[in-house]
Amino acid sequence: MKNNNKFRLDIWGFITLFVILLYVLFLLYPMGYLIRQSVFDGSTGEFTLANFAKFFSKSYYFNTLFNSFKISIAATILSLLIGTPLAYLFAVYKIRGKSFLSILIVVASMSAPFIGAYSWILLLGRSGVITTFFKNMGIALPDIYGFGGIVLVMTLQLFPLVFLYARGALKNIDNSLIEAAGNLGCSGVKCFLKVVVPLIMPTLLAAGLLVFMRSFADFGTPMLIGEGYRTFPVVLYNEFINEVGGNDGFAAAIAVIAIVITTVVFLIQKYVSNRKSFSLNALHPMEEREAKGAVRWMVHIFSYLVIGIAVLPQCYVIYTSFKNTEGKIFVDGYSLSSYATAFGKLGKSIQNTIIIPILALVVIILLAVLIAYLVVRRRNFLTNITDILSMIPYIVPGTVLGIALLVGFNKPPVLISGTMLIMVVALVIRRLPYTIRSSVAILQQIPMSIEEAAISLGATKMKAFFRITVPMMQAGIVSGAILSWVTMISELSTAIILYTGRTKTLTVAIYTEVIRGNYGTAAALSTILTLLTVASLLLFNKLNGGKDLSL
Amino acid sequence: MSRIIIKNAVKKYGENTVIPDLSAEIEDGELFTLLGPSGCGKTTLLRMIAGFNSIEGGDFYFNETRINDMDPSKRNIGMVFQNYAIFPNLSVRNNVAFGLKNRKIEKEKIKTETDKYLNLMQIMEYAERMPSQLSGGQQQRIALARALVITPDVLLMDEPLSNLDAKLRMEMRTVIRHTQKSVGITTVYVTHDQEEAMAISDRIAVMKDGVIQHIGKPKDIYQRPKNVFVATFIGRTNMVPARIEKGELIFADGYREQIDALRQAEDQEVICSIRPEEFVICKEGSDGIKGTVKEFVYLGLNTHYYIDTDAGETVEIIEESSLKEELKEGQSVLLKVKKEKINVFNQTGEQNLVRSEAYEKQ
């Protein structure tokens, strides 16, 4: 609305100010505190760059940056190389059991990465099932620990994201473009590389960014499977845990470096994709066709193999959860003893995993809808600020945000460290950008005149919003909420910093059980988490009427 | 029921002035149309009346009440939007009843009023359906019923027919006209379709660049347009240069006509707007603009001719088809004009010299 570009202190004006206040308190203040800590000496209070100097002068720390970059880039490239062709095959060929495979891919993408890591250790680790199997045959398999293992786990975890993004973009390519290309003598693989890939390039870049950010910020996987291979988030976590109570300026400095790096990557991606964007709208989307002969076999083998490997860790974890344990070791025979331990010792964490995300979800939905409305319908200087503020968490790694919240709020005036509130706040901040984006997209589809009609019929601004606009957004909001829910229940990197005994979540419990070597209990807890995820996704599919999910 | 009075309205988007200074009075119960090309500010003005656009200057009145700062929900207006803006989450009945529910009227009354307008717009049988199951024309009827049921002081319609196909547009045009007359409500109607405006309006305001060029009855606007823009925008016309000498109008080839209104006019170069039906083609004689038949199109009722004049222009002429044989291509003809009907503008095209003071007072 061009005419609303001035700020007015009506009800929406108050909401704008309120939202900005929330962001200042819960995002800017802790982040600012963290930055301040990184450049001021904790004991003398003087300005110093010693922390940064320490990081860049010692290769012990500095190399972790390179390690993280190597892993993120490798994982991003591999994910794109697997996810894109798979999405294309799904778009053009009829594949048996396609809808089942689609669900499996989503499940694979929605599980916590470190569960994959620990499962691969069970399969391919030093005494893993597959390793032992081959060793008995006299074949030594390559080592799973370190760089290769991290990249393997990351790729299998993240290629589904590329797949889902690419699948959505492919739906917008009009079949006539493919036919035109074929008519001009460009078909098959050539058509895919020369026509399809360039058309979905903006989407692939966006997906690539997401993969990069996630693998750069992921903490659980390198911690479990990395062994000597130290990445950035691991160092950050270790330094922070070591220095709690003392001078944590160094951890703060590492956090600041992390933010700078992700910001630069984000800006580069934005710049590149702005230059490569087209608007596509398909009247006749690509049609699936039956593949013939050898192609048919190859398509099926590729699809099933890739997806099979992606869900293998999940399946194996579920299998081991039913195995008998003796102390920490799996023994022959099956029972529910792991579940008994899980519910007995850690039942509280299951409760937390439901209560904390639900509280966060309520806040997220409310805020996302309000902010989306402000951004779309009330464009002015202050709502632009709100928009930018809400995107900051997108580029702040979870571990960093966790640390910022913890150091910012562990003494008065705001003392909420260790409470459930801080866990909720962390989830809200982390997940809000995604929900805002999807709400904005929905709202842009709803013409302004509908709301004006309500107002001209005597409804107040708030009534028009809640009686007309919100119900129209409802379907989109609900499916967005379910996706937020799924990501929140499998969240680890913030929770691991913020949890206390009372606010332990499932993922944290699984992580600590794995670290302690209680694989049986960990497997049982993972299975519960997977069940929760699958149930949520089935609900999503039902509510969304078979439409695709966007993240 | 209200008169709408607009005094010196100004609309700006930032530094960009869309409506510099606009005044108009809309009579009680009339259907007043804002007509103009896209971007002329007609929708902007309508939305200023509705309260959805801010007002940068001037005064808007409904009768004696100044509404500039009144909240849109308090102005008691009914509005019909280009895309109908039907609430997709409410049934047809609830769409129509929405405004009444906001007015805290008792349930019985809401039901009877809603029924009345559902019947009036002939959508009673769809009352319990959801809007997405209805066609464009039916949605249009819901929109109209919803706007009228609240007995608004003013009805505002923003290009309500532009999303309908040609046949439905004609039908809905009649529905709107009849409903408006029978309810007797002051209506402001925005359109870019001049035929629609002619068919539906009591009075039309032709707008260009945020300025009203001409306010008048359809007949007045067609027959005596105030300037060249209005003459060319409404209906088809040929712009033919001529000059006035000693109160006489002289065309090319020395063809002269005496026009009463021009007796006192100064000698000057002028532009004449001659509509296709205001030419008379003569096959013989010596008086007239010389031309050659370039092309003709037989359309049943009428025959259209395109004639190249010797001065190098092509004019379009419409004659009622006759039983005799049409003119041949390449045939020489002489063109005369129906002098009572044509309009003569000064060189800048801003003034119609035929509209005398006496005419304006009629």
Side-chain angles (χ1 to χ4, degrees), chain B residues 254-270:
Chain B
Y255 167 53
R256 291 159 179 266
E257 285 289 353
Q258 291 227 335
I259 293 174
D260 290 347
L262 299 180
R263 284 253 165 85
Q264 308 299 326
E266 289 171 31
D267 290 1
Q268 59 184 306
E269 298 289 319
V270 294

Side-chain angles (χ1 to χ4, degrees), chain B residues 237-240 251 255 272-282 289 305 307 309 313-320 334-339 341-342:
Chain B
T237 193
N238 300 293
M239 302 310 295
V240 179
F251 291 94
Y255 167 53
C272 299
S273 156
I274 305 166
R275 298 202 182 273
E277 70 274 17
E278 293 168 1
F279 272 115
V280 180
I281 303 176
C282 306
I289 304 167
Y305 294 100
I307 293 178
T309 64
E313 287 168 356
T314 305
V315 295
E316 185 187 352
I317 298 174
I318 300 177
E319 284 199 334
E320 195 183 332
L334 287 169
L335 304 177
K336 288 188 177 180
V337 300
K338 296 173 180 166
K339 65 174 185 178
K341 285 195 167 178
I342 67 166

